[in-house]
Amino acid sequence: MKRIIVASLLGVASLMASAQTLPIYLDMSKPVSQRIDDALSRMTLDEKIAVLHAQSKFSAAGVKRLGFPDFWTDDGPHGVRPEVLWDEWEQAGQTNDSCVAFPALTCLAATFNPSLSYLYGHSLGEEARYRNKDMILGPGVNIYRTPLGGRNFEYMGEDPFLSSTMVVPYVQGLQDLGVSACVKHFCLNNDENYRHQVNVIVSDRALYEIYLPAFKAAVQKGHAWAVMGAYNLYHNQHNCHNAITLNKILKGEWGFDGVVVSDWGGCHNTEEAVKNGLDMEFGTWTNGLTKGESNAYSHYFLADPYKKLIKEGKLTTRELDEKVRRILLLYYRTTMNPHRGRGFLCSESHYAAAKQIAEEGIVLLQNRHQVLPIKVDRAKRILVVGENAVKMMTVGGGSSSLKVQKEILPLEGLKARLGDKVQVDYARGYVGDTTGSYNGVKAKQSLYESRSAAALTEEAIQKAKGADYVIFIGGLNKSEYQDCEGRDRKEYGLPYGQDQLIRALAKVNKNLVYVNISGNAVAMPWKDQVAGIVQAWYAGSESGEALAAVLCGDANPSGKLPFTWYASLQDVGAHALNAFPGVWRPDHHIIDEEYKEGIYVGYRWIDKMKIRPLFAFGHGLSYTRFQISPVQADKKRIQANDSISFTVKVRNTGTRAGAEVVQLYVHDVQSSVDRPYKELKGFRKVFLQPGESRDVTITIGKDALSFFDESAHAWKAEPGDFEALVGDASDHITSKVSFTLE
């Protein structure tokens, strides 16, 4: 009803234009800055305050008197969350709020394909437009610091360059439709336990080189219209109102012209929020001060308490007007944008996009004796084992939980693909999470189980003895203390006794393929006992079809790991240095968490300590073979403002069409500061038919050679010798070439 009223107001304004001059703020022919000035001059103090804070769980007020519609947000980043009641988290009971679930962002990052990132954002934007959402709360680009991080599945891996490259087209695809991205969680939100109390202590160099680049790319290259502050603290200030991260870096150094949105409940103090960069406050319980008062949004920190301080003369309206200007600019980009794209819900193209992203993101980690793809013409019976074969993964995990129109489960996908040719049998094998619901959304399957663990194990072993293949589909799920918002994992190993079951199955069937469903790496003490290992992620609505396509060879796997897969937690810098999860400061109810590993995150730490990972960053196998020629540089010496290009020829020497990812790392031969041995600075995904070859060129500039100089607080590239290292994984460099920066 509210949107109809607004539309009527705008219609009246349009009719008025024929008789008199249209108000400047409604005249779309005028520059946006002029329209904002005019609208701001017409707004009352109450109207200005009203746009700074929520009016419901997910909406903020527009300016009804002036014809600005209400502003509606919704959770992402993997799909549009179902509607909840105005002032409650409970489901609203609608029947038209289902969606397509796109693969989790770890899967998107694993595609190493920026064009799919744009497709992802654009498809999600169309779903958001259909549902009348003006902002999607995503994407997430916090760094994968430890595999225990409960929210890693919502992010894009451990490498700042990969995350930076993949986030930009996602933001552009979404915002091309007039739907604002809200890049989160800014910044240093790398664990979930006690996330409101964690005070991160990190060097400026690690901050700028590892944890900020993806946010900077989203802002400066993707031109994101909004950024969400994080729950944690930095320099003892909450990141939803932090003078350093928001004022100094985001709005100052980067020139961000958008809106800073609080994470839900992330605002804690009126004066800090006013002065330290927060623009819109959401989710501070119902009244921001005490619990239990309904529809009391006027009590938020940026509501009546702010207005009171202004009226008492303790605060001026300078900060207020600056915040409102940013919000009005957001409105002109979204709700007041007459050229917004059309919306579509659950369209064929969205399912096709979800399936393509899932197929390209699935990573073939191990393939002994070419156990995969499944020889469909020779197999008579395939046994599928594991709860994750029949468990919906779009339900649960926190704010990214969805209400999908459909989710094809792995067992369903395999039966649909093989059912008329091969007998597909199933044994549950273990019992994990049987709840099957989250926030009012119920899974389509019942996971109730009355049999004992011993009986389930015995059934699986007996059925495995006569099968041509055993496909174990296990891993994690989205329960608490697994892959879930608000909780980190308690251990690196697999839950629910899966390790013992896998070992038992390996003893009775040599064609055992383990499919890991997760957003995190897990310990694999039985790695050498299984033939195949596949990382299948949380792959969304088409997960079952995509997995079946890869296992059966209809799709050639081309995903690459966006993080290092460690053999044990002691191979992780944060854990080796006892720097996770931090130390309590009981006098302040704060946890100080020092990032002692500094810039040495992921493969950077692996290289430094000369550790052999279980699977390296950038690793991923194929059903075909590729040959990468020695790398050639277009010059040997470059000036500071030059760029340099590196070229290789990639040939598909196998018998199947497929894709390879050429990865370019840079090594600084001699530096005045300690630097990682190599850092990813370019990559290209190339699709080739059997026998086909293609030249792949990657160009870099001085920024790829630079480190952050803490003493100068600036990026610095030192003259000297460098090497470009090229390969198909961080542990498989096939050639290198030297060059000099003058």
Side-chain angles (χ1 to χ4, degrees), residues 23-59:
I24 293 174
Y25 73 93
L26 287 176
D27 187 348
M28 299 305 167
S29 68
K30 300 292 185 183
V32 172
S33 60
Q34 190 175 347
R35 283 181 267 151
I36 290 173
D37 287 342
D38 183 59
L40 186 66
S41 70
R42 299 170 186 264
M43 292 173 67
T44 66
L45 176 61
D46 285 340
E47 288 170 338
K48 290 177 181 179
I49 291 291
V51 301
L52 302 186
H53 62 84
Q55 64 173 358
S56 73
K57 285 297 181 188
F58 284 99
S59 73

Side-chain angles (χ1 to χ4, degrees), residues 203 205-206 209 596-600 604-605 607-609 667-679 706-710 718:
S203 69
R205 188 164 170 217
E209 290 189 16
K596 296 177 183 178
E597 71 279 14
I599 59 175
Y600 290 99
R604 292 165 170 80
W605 175 262
D607 286 346
K608 178 181 176 67
M609 304 305 294
H667 168 58
D668 190 347
V669 176
Q670 186 174 5
S671 174
S672 65
V673 298
D674 189 28
R675 300 194 70 176
Y677 175 75
K678 66 177 182 292
E679 297 182 279
S706 301
F707 62 89
F708 189 79
D709 185 341
E710 292 185 328
E718 293 179 330

Side-chain angles (χ1 to χ4, degrees), residues 673-721:
V673 298
D674 189 28
R675 300 194 70 176
Y677 175 75
K678 66 177 182 292
E679 297 182 279
L680 183 72
K681 295 299 179 182
F683 62 87
R684 292 290 185 276
K685 192 168 195 175
V686 55
F687 295 82
L688 299 170
Q689 296 297 319
E692 183 184 5
S693 63
R694 191 174 305 165
D695 287 342
V696 174
T697 298
I698 299 174
T699 301
I700 63 173
K702 185 181 72 171
D703 58 331
L705 313 179
S706 301
F707 62 89
F708 189 79
D709 185 341
E710 292 185 328
S711 61
H713 196 79
W715 289 90
K716 182 178 182 179
E718 293 179 330
D721 295 334

Side-chain angles (χ1 to χ4, degrees), residues 7 14 19 39 62 69 82 121 178 269 271 283 368 409 415 434 458 496 515 522 526 532 539 567 636 701 740:
S14 298
N269 179 279
E271 289 199 44
R368 297 176 184 271
L409 304 177
K415 283 186 173 181
T434 62
E458 183 62 22
Y496 314 128
V515 177
V522 298
W526 34 259
K636 290 295 183 181
T740 301

Side-chain angles (χ1 to χ4, degrees), residues 455-713:
L456 292 171
T457 298
E458 183 62 22
E459 178 195 31
I461 292 172
Q462 292 305 317
K463 287 185 175 182
K465 290 179 179 178
D468 296 294
Y469 293 87
V470 176
I471 311 296
F472 187 105
I473 303 178
L476 307 180
N477 56 42
K478 293 185 177 180
S479 303
E480 282 198 343
Y481 299 107
Q482 295 202 46
D483 284 331
C484 180
E485 177 184 359
R487 291 286 186 267
D488 294 315
R489 296 166 64 193
K490 293 183 177 181
E491 59 187 5
Y492 192 37
L494 286 172
Y496 314 128
Q498 292 177 76
D499 288 338
Q500 295 87 337
L501 180 56
I502 292 168
R503 287 191 180 101
L505 292 170
K507 290 179 180 178
V508 300
N509 196 302
K510 66 178 182 179
N511 288 334
L512 172 59
V513 175
Y514 173 71
V515 177
N516 191 65
I517 307 291
S518 77
N520 266 310
V522 298
M524 293 183 174
W526 34 259
K527 172 180 176 288
D528 294 337
Q529 300 171 40
V530 303
I533 302 176
V534 175
Q535 174 61 18
W537 313 108
Y538 299 117
S541 287
E542 296 285 348
S543 57
E545 282 197 1
L547 178 60
V550 169
L551 293 179
C552 296
D554 304 330
N556 195 343
S558 62
K560 301 285 186 175
L561 282 179
F563 52 71
T564 302
W565 202 294
Y566 306 93
S568 74
L569 277 185
Q570 285 308 302
D571 294 341
V572 184
H575 295 275
L577 298 174
N578 197 28
F580 176 90
V583 179
W584 274 103
R585 237 198 293 164
D587 53 330
H588 292 87
H589 303 289
I590 284 175
I591 299 176
D592 284 328
E593 185 170 342
E594 184 178 358
Y595 287 20
K596 296 177 183 178
E597 71 279 14
I599 59 175
Y600 290 99
V601 176
Y603 67 86
R604 292 165 170 80
W605 175 262
I606 290 290
D607 286 346
K608 178 181 176 67
M609 304 305 294
K610 296 180 171 56
I611 297 170
R612 185 173 182 176
L614 212 58
F615 302 106
F617 171 86
H619 169 77
L621 304 177
S622 172
Y623 295 149
T624 191
R625 298 182 303 278
F626 297 96
Q627 184 180 74
I628 302 176
S629 70
V631 59
Q632 302 291 323
D634 68 345
K635 60 191 72 169
K636 290 295 183 181
R637 309 181 75 85
I638 64 170
Q639 302 295 322
N641 295 324
D642 284 350
S643 61
I644 182 170
S645 296
F646 304 96
T647 301
V648 296
K649 185 181 290 293
V650 185
R651 181 181 296 276
N652 183 343
T653 61
T655 59
R656 292 173 176 263
E660 181 59 288
V661 178
V662 177
Q663 300 166 39
L664 173 74
Y665 298 83
V666 170
H667 168 58
D668 190 347
V669 176
Q670 186 174 5
S671 174
S672 65
V673 298
D674 189 28
R675 300 194 70 176
Y677 175 75
K678 66 177 182 292
E679 297 182 279
L680 183 72
K681 295 299 179 182
F683 62 87
R684 292 290 185 276
K685 192 168 195 175
V686 55
F687 295 82
L688 299 170
Q689 296 297 319
E692 183 184 5
S693 63
R694 191 174 305 165
D695 287 342
V696 174
T697 298
I698 299 174
T699 301
I700 63 173
K702 185 181 72 171
D703 58 331
L705 313 179
S706 301
F707 62 89
F708 189 79
D709 185 341
E710 292 185 328
S711 61
H713 196 79

